[in-house]
C-alpha cells in the first residue's frame, strides 16, 4: 500500500519561485540588490558562534526592538519564519475545511496555495481595470463562511495601492469577527498622496480584527534569512503563538533583524534610489507604449495579457529574468540603474502588435 496522503493536496499547485542562471540579471523576486550592511553581517557572524544552542523561541530581543520602533506593546507582535509563514498560520488559526479566505486577484501567489493547504476555499475578487483592489466588491463578496481576508497593499504583483478612505470604509463593513490581514510587505517603498496616506498601526488599534503583516525580506534586504512579523490584537497573537513552529525564527535571523532595526535610517534611505528608478522605468515603459499601472512597490507590472509568457521568455535570451503570470502580465523588479537599462533596452526591441 502507498502511504495515505490527503488526496486534495494533489490539486494544490507548487509555489513557483523566481528562477535564475549564472550571469543573468535577476529582476524576478523583488529583492534588493545590496548585501547586508557591515553591522548586520557582524551581528550574523557573532550569532554564528552560538549555533549549537536553540534560538530564543520567544524572540524576545527582536520583539522588543520592533515594539519600540512601532510604539506597540511586545504582546501585540508575533514574528515568523518570513511573513509567508504568518500568512499560512493566519489561515490555520481562522479556517476549517470549507471556510472561505477572501482576497483580490491577481494578488500574492501564496494566498490561494496556503488556503488550499488548509482545505479552505479561496474566493478571489478581480482587481479593478486600473489593477487596484476593488474593496467594495470584496465587501460584497463576504459570506457567512468568510473567516479571513487578505488586502495586499501595495499589491503584489501590480504595485498599486488603495485609497485610505476606501480602506477605512471597507474595514467598517467587515464583520468584526472576520480577520483582515493587511499585507504590507512593500510599505517602505510607498510614497503616498494625501488621500492614500494612512497609519496601519493606528488602524490596528481601531479595528481589533485587523492584522498588519510586514517583512524583513524586501527593503531590509534579509530575504535569505526569513523573518516577518504580525501586529495584531491579543486574540490573534495568542492563536499565532499556538501554531508557531517552535524555533522556526532562527538565531541568525533574530540577530540580523534586530541589527537592521538599529540601522533603520540607513536602510530606509536606500529605498529612495528604488523610488527614483521606479519613476524612471515606469515613464520609459509608458513612452514605449506599455500599459503600466502606477507602482508604489519595488517592482512594476506590465499588462501584457496573452503575450506575458512570450515576453518573459524572450527577456531571458537577453539575460534578464522577470516574472511572468501566464495570460495576464509580467512583474519586473526595480534593480540598479544598469540592470533596469538592460531591461528597458530589451523592452524597446520587443515586437508588439
Ligand atoms: C515578499 C512578500 C511577502 C514576504 O515574504 P517573506 O516570507 O517575509 O519573505 C509577503 N507578502 C507579499 C505580498 C510579498 O510580496
Amino acid at each position: 500500500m502507498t502511504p495515505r496522503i490527503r488526496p486534495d493536496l494533489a490539486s494544490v499547485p507548487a509555489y513557483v519561485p523566481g528562477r535564475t542562471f549564472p550571469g543573468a540579471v535577476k529582476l524576478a523576486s523583488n529583492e534588493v540588490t545590496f548585501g547586508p550592511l557591515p553591522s548586520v553581517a557582524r551581528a550574523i557572524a557573532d550569532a554564528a558562534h552560538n549555533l549549537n544552542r536553540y534560538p530564543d523561541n520567544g524572540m524576545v530581543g527582536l520583539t522588543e526592538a520592533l515594539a519600540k520602533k512601532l510604539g506597540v506593546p511586545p504582546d501585540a507582535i508575533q514574528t515568523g519564519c518570513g511573513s509567508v509563514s504568518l500568512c499560512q498560520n493566519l489561515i490555520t488559526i481562522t479556517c476549517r475545511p470549507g471556510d472561505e479566505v477572501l482576497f483580490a486577484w491577481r494578488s500574492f501567489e501564496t494566498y490561494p496555495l496556503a488556503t488550499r493547504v488548509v482545505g479552505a476555499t479561496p474566493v478571489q475578487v478581480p482587481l479593478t481595470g486600473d489593477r487596484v483592489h476593488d474593496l467594495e466588491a470584496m465587501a460584497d463578496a463576504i459570506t457567512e463562511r468568510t473567516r479571513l481576508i487578505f488586502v495586499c497593499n501595495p499589491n503584489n504583483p501590480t504595485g498599486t495601492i488603495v485609497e485610505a478612505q476606501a480602506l477605512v470604509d471597507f474595514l467598517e463593513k467587515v464583520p468584526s469577527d472576520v480577520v483582515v490581514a493587511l499585507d504590507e510587505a512593500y510599505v517602505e517603498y510607498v510614497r503616498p498622496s494625501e488621500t492614500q496616506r494612512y497609519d496601519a498601526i493606528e488602524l490596528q488599534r481601531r479595528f481589533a480584527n485587523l492584522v498588519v503583516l510586514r517583512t524583513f525580506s524586501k527593503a531590509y534586504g534579509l530575504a535569505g534569512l526569513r523573518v516577518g512579523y504580525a501586529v495584531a490584537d491579543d486574540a490573534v497573537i495568542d492563536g499565532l503563538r499556538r501554531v508557531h513552529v517552535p524555533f522556526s525564527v532562527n538565531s541568525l535571523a533574530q540577530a540580523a533583524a534586530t541589527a537592521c532595526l538599529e540601522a533603520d535610517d540607513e536602510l530606509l534611505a536606500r529605498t529612495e534610489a528604488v523610488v527614483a528608478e521606479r519613476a524612471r522605468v515606469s515613464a520609459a515603459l509608458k513612452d514605449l507604449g506599455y500599459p503600466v499601472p502606477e507602482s508604489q512597490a519595488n517592482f512594476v507590472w506590465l499588462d501584457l495579457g496573452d503575450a506575458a509568457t512570450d515576453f518573459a521568455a524572450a527577456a531571458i535570451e537577453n539575460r534578464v529574468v522577470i516574472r511572468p503570470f501566464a495570460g495576464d502580465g509580467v512583474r519586473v523588479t526595480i534593480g540598479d540603474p544598469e540592470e533596469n537599462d538592460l531591461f528597458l533596452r530589451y523592452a524597446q526591441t520587443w515586437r508588439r502588435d
Side-chain angles (χ1 to χ4, degrees):
M1 284 207 292
T2 51
R4 186 156 18 178
I5 306 297
R6 271 172 47 198
D8 61 307
L9 286 182
S11 64
V12 178
Y15 182 83
V16 185
R19 64 194 183 104
T20 189
F21 55 89
V25 168
K26 189 184 178 203
L27 302 177
S29 299
N30 302 341
E31 297 145 335
V32 293
T33 54
F34 48 81
L37 292 174
S39 61
V40 176
R42 219 160 30 241
I44 294 169
D46 288 348
H49 292 300
N50 295 316
L51 285 179
N52 53 316
R53 305 291 179 191
Y54 278 100
D56 170 10
N57 197 44
M59 301 159 287
V60 172
L62 174 57
T63 304
E64 280 175 357
L66 279 168
K68 205 166 138 212
K69 168 186 153 88
L70 300 170
V72 301
D75 280 350
I77 296 173
Q78 176 66 16
T79 58
C81 177
S83 60
V84 288
S85 77
L86 293 163
C87 291
Q88 181 73 70
N89 288 348
L90 280 172
I91 298 168
T92 303
I93 67 171
T94 54
C95 293
R96 293 176 190 273
D99 288 338
E100 293 174 356
V101 179
L102 181 66
F103 45 87
W105 201 250
R106 181 172 292 280
S107 190
F108 190 33
E109 294 287 280
T110 290
Y111 305 151
L113 302 187
T115 299
R116 291 169 69 186
V117 164
V118 174
T121 305
V123 176
Q124 307 184 163
V125 177
L127 299 170
T128 67
D130 294 334
R131 299 293 181 165
V132 179
H133 273 65
D134 189 342
L135 291 172
E136 284 186 20
M138 287 177 71
D140 289 342
I142 295 171
T143 74
E144 279 176 3
R145 302 228 65 168
T146 308
R147 293 289 173 276
L148 177 64
I149 303 171
F150 283 104
V151 175
C152 188
N153 201 53
N155 186 44
N156 178 4
T158 61
T160 54
I161 58 174
V162 296
E163 291 289 310
Q165 191 57 49
L167 180 61
V168 172
D169 292 347
F170 175 73
L171 291 170
E172 279 170 348
K173 280 189 233 164
V174 176
S176 58
D177 61 346
V178 174
V179 175
V180 179
L182 183 61
D183 187 341
E184 293 196 320
Y186 301 96
V187 66
E188 296 87 358
Y189 296 105
V190 177
R191 300 294 182 269
S193 71
E194 214 39 62
T195 61
Q196 293 165 331
R197 191 182 308 275
Y198 66 88
D199 178 342
I201 303 301
E202 197 70 43
L203 281 182
Q204 200 289 314
R205 285 195 192 96
R206 183 165 152 205
F207 297 95
N209 57 333
L210 184 64
V211 181
V212 181
L213 293 176
R214 293 190 183 155
T215 179
F216 285 91
S217 295
K218 305 289 160 48
Y220 286 92
L222 292 183
L225 270 179
R226 320 299 309 124
V227 205
Y229 60 95
V231 182
D233 197 57
D234 293 351
V236 176
I237 296 294
D238 181 66
L240 288 174
R241 289 187 179 164
R242 284 172 199 274
V243 301
H244 179 73
V245 174
F247 310 113
S248 56
V249 182
N250 71 70
S251 331
L252 304 186
Q254 293 186 40
T258 308
C260 279
L261 291 177
E262 276 158 30
D264 216 37
D265 292 347
E266 190 173 351
L267 288 167
L268 294 183
R270 288 176 164 182
T271 62
E272 289 299 332
V274 172
V275 168
E277 277 295 284
R278 173 175 80 201
R280 183 179 75 91
V281 171
S282 300
L285 288 170
K286 282 190 212 159
D287 282 349
L288 291 171
Y290 288 96
V292 181
E294 186 184 329
S295 172
Q296 289 286 342
N298 67 340
F299 52 83
V300 292
W301 170 259
L302 280 63
D303 256 324
L304 293 174
D306 289 337
T309 311
D310 287 348
F311 181 88
I316 286 180
E317 283 159 33
N318 289 266
R319 283 204 304 122
V320 186
V321 186
I322 59 178
R323 183 68 194 271
F325 296 87
D328 204 355
V330 298
R331 188 191 69 200
V332 184
T333 304
I334 300 297
D336 290 335
E338 317 77 66
E339 296 179 323
N340 302 332
D341 282 342
L342 188 67
F343 169 69
L344 287 174
R345 274 200 297 280
Y346 161 67
Q348 191 167 19
T349 59
W350 193 67
R351 173 198 60 78
R352 268 162 301 131
D353 300 317

